């Protein structure tokens, strides 16, 4: 069971794995605990933004590697074997995603409309 610390208004301000002075035990399915844990704190937003930035940068680096290979600046086999496997796997995933995206998205990058009230209209 987790322990929580509360502020003067009685709201949870910290969650602890062990009892300390001033903490109280709450059930792991306590609704207030759930709300506290799912709150979007500034630290969580900053961490999410950093992760999104990292993912975007990974895509840029991947595209850069492909351009350098296409122009003959570097050779694919110049990379260590584990890197080659990761690049190939990533390329395969991008091709699969592109195929699925092409199947389900219209030319204007919108999804197919939902079916009408009778359940008709997809195909």
């Amino acid at each position: 069971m987790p322990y929580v610390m509360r502020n003067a208004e009685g709201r949870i301000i910290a969650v602890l794995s062990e009892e300390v002075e001033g903490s109280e035990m709450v059930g792991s399915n306590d609704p207030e605990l759930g709300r506290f844990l799912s709150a979007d704190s500034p630290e969580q937003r900053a961490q999410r933004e950093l992760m999104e930035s990292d993912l975007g940068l990974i895509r840029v680096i991947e595209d850069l590697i492909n351009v350098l290979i296409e122009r003959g600046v570097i050779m694919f086999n110049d990379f260590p074997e584990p890197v080659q496997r990761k690049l190939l796997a990533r390329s395969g995933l991008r091709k699969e995603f592109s195929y699925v995206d092409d199947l389900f998205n219209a030319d204007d990058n919108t999804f197919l409309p939902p079916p009408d009230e009778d359940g008709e209209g997809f195909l």
Side-chain angles (χ1 to χ4, degrees):
M1 292 280 191
Y3 295 87
V4 299
M5 299 289 291
R6 297 182 184 272
N7 65 10
E9 290 84 39
R11 284 187 293 226
I12 295 175
I13 58 170
V15 179
L16 309 162
S17 60
E18 56 188 58
E19 185 176 15
V20 298
E21 186 178 333
S23 68
E24 70 177 81
M25 186 175 14
V26 295
S28 57
N29 60 351
D30 183 82
E32 188 180 358
L33 176 62
R35 284 190 298 276
F36 176 80
L37 293 174
S38 65
D40 199 18
S41 70
E43 294 84 13
Q44 290 170 322
R45 282 192 298 275
Q47 191 172 24
R48 187 176 52 248
E49 289 172 9
L50 180 62
M51 186 176 69
E52 289 171 0
S53 173
D54 287 350
L55 292 174
L57 187 58
I58 289 168
R59 179 69 185 261
V60 169
I61 292 170
E62 183 182 358
D63 289 343
L64 175 63
I65 289 170
N66 288 335
V67 167
L68 294 174
I69 290 172
E70 287 172 8
R71 294 189 179 174
V73 175
I74 58 174
M75 301 296 291
F76 182 76
N77 57 4
D78 289 340
F79 292 102
E81 193 172 319
V83 174
Q84 290 178 21
R85 283 194 303 270
K86 287 178 183 180
L87 289 170
L88 287 172
R90 181 96 174 123
S91 175
L93 288 172
R94 283 177 68 177
K95 285 180 185 174
E96 286 179 36
F97 180 78
S98 175
Y99 174 73
V100 170
D101 193 45
D102 288 346
L103 281 177
F104 292 104
N105 287 328
D107 290 336
D108 62 351
N109 289 332
T110 59
F111 286 106
L112 293 173
D116 57 22
E117 293 170 359
D118 299 327
E120 302 290 325
F122 268 114
L123 297 175

